Amino acid sequence: MNKPYIIIHTHTSIDGNLDIMNLREFEEASRQYQELSLDPEKQQFEIQGFLNGKTTTEDNMTFYKVPELDENAAPVPEGDYVADSDAPMYYLSIDARGELAFEENTFGYGGVPSHIVEVLTEQASNAYKDFLRKKKISYIIAGKDQIDYEVMLDKFYNLFHIKRMMVGGGGTMNWSFVQNGLVDEVSVILAPIANADPDGHRFFVAKEPYSSIKETAFQLESVKELEHGTLWIRYSVKKK
């Protein structure tokens, strides 16, 4: 398997909460998070793509809308669909069954226009793949019922020439990447805030069948103080 260099890059509160808080410190941490990863003048990672889970995409882009599908669409060709193999940046979206209601084929996150690539399984319908093709949204098939990470990463590398990529959550996907031994670096933008919400979304979340609760150690690589009390902490995953 060929795979990109993978960085989990997330901004979080002191209590590990990923959710939006109505505080200036949250806004400043979010700004610096985006600058370090995506701002052409300030970015530090040299990534070609950033991967988000379905819930993160729903929360930030498609807002839980339902796609308008043509159930009588002619059968689409088998396999993957590459609408743009040379984009300056890719927004990589996990959507196993094919349910996200995209309106455009790009997403301007952090001011960077990013071509959308949907990661589907064989469970995605012909009507949904037809929907994506009509919008010129790329997609790959990576698994039968669940996402096969090795297949997915190999296709990112070979079809879209992604050599370095960022995983931006949520917590279930972050932890599953760690447990599958796929992470090269963990980058934390730590904001000096907390709300102690017991139902808040967390940096790492174990969820069967994708991952399990298991103690894991990390090696500290660097700590840097940013603006407004924000810290940038970088780790590698300790090898067993």
Side-chain angles (χ1 to χ4, degrees):
M1 175 193 71
N2 291 314
K3 90 168 186 66
Y5 182 94
I6 295 175
I7 306 160
I8 290 179
H9 180 59
T10 304
H11 67 94
T12 176
S13 63
I14 290 174
D15 57 355
N17 194 333
L18 303 180
D19 295 336
I20 294 171
M21 297 186 195
N22 188 25
L23 294 167
R24 184 190 180 199
E25 289 83 356
F26 174 89
E27 295 172 356
E28 294 297 340
S30 179
R31 171 184 62 81
Q32 293 171 96
Y33 161 85
Q34 292 188 31
E35 287 177 350
L36 287 169
S37 55
L38 294 171
D39 188 302
E41 302 298 325
K42 299 180 180 180
Q43 63 82 23
Q44 299 292 308
F45 297 137
E46 301 292 341
I47 60 171
Q48 292 91 42
F50 54 106
L51 176 70
N52 281 333
K54 182 171 179 284
T55 300
T56 302
T57 299
E58 292 274 35
D59 287 343
N60 294 287
M61 193 190 315
T62 60
F63 308 110
Y64 297 87
K65 296 176 183 176
V66 177
E68 295 183 8
L69 305 182
D70 179 3
E71 298 297 343
N72 298 314
V76 302
E78 293 290 328
D80 309 316
Y81 171 63
V82 179
D84 189 344
S85 63
D86 193 31
M89 185 69 69
Y90 290 98
Y91 181 89
L92 312 164
S93 176
I94 288 182
D95 184 18
R97 292 178 297 276
E99 298 172 316
L100 293 169
F102 293 103
E103 295 184 359
E104 308 289 340
N105 69 351
T106 60
F107 178 52
Y109 185 66
V112 178
S114 306
H115 179 71
I116 295 169
V117 179
E118 275 270 80
V119 184
L120 308 174
T121 66
E122 294 177 16
Q123 300 303 306
S125 69
N126 181 78
Y128 187 73
K129 287 181 280 190
D130 172 75
F131 165 80
L132 295 178
R133 284 173 173 264
K134 286 176 178 175
K135 292 186 175 295
K136 298 190 183 315
I137 294 173
S138 298
Y139 63 79
I140 61 172
I141 310 300
K144 184 175 181 180
D145 301 303
Q146 298 178 15
I147 300 297
D148 184 319
Y149 282 4
E150 292 191 359
V151 171
M152 174 184 73
L153 294 173
D154 188 78
K155 290 185 176 184
F156 286 166
Y157 189 96
N158 289 302
L159 295 180
F160 300 98
H161 316 296
I162 297 172
K163 303 301 188 290
R164 295 173 63 88
M165 60 174 274
M166 179 181 93
V167 175
T172 299
M173 186 169 69
N174 288 345
W175 191 240
S176 65
F177 265 80
V178 170
Q179 287 214 322
N180 280 286
L182 300 170
V183 177
D184 296 287
E185 178 180 338
V186 176
S187 169
V188 183
I189 303 300
L190 184 65
I193 57 175
N195 66 5
D197 180 0
D199 298 318
H201 295 94
R202 300 295 163 185
F203 191 0
F204 289 130
V205 178
K207 184 177 182 180
E208 299 287 355
Y210 313 110
S211 60
S212 58
I213 298 171
K214 188 175 183 180
E215 293 81 1
T216 302
F218 299 83
Q219 176 69 46
L220 180 64
E221 300 295 338
S222 66
V223 180
K224 182 177 182 180
E225 183 177 354
L226 304 179
E227 299 173 346
H228 304 282
T230 302
L231 294 179
W232 180 21
I233 310 171
R234 302 174 83 169
Y235 299 96
S236 57
V237 183
K238 280 193 173 182
K239 304 299 183 183
K240 299 226 175 7

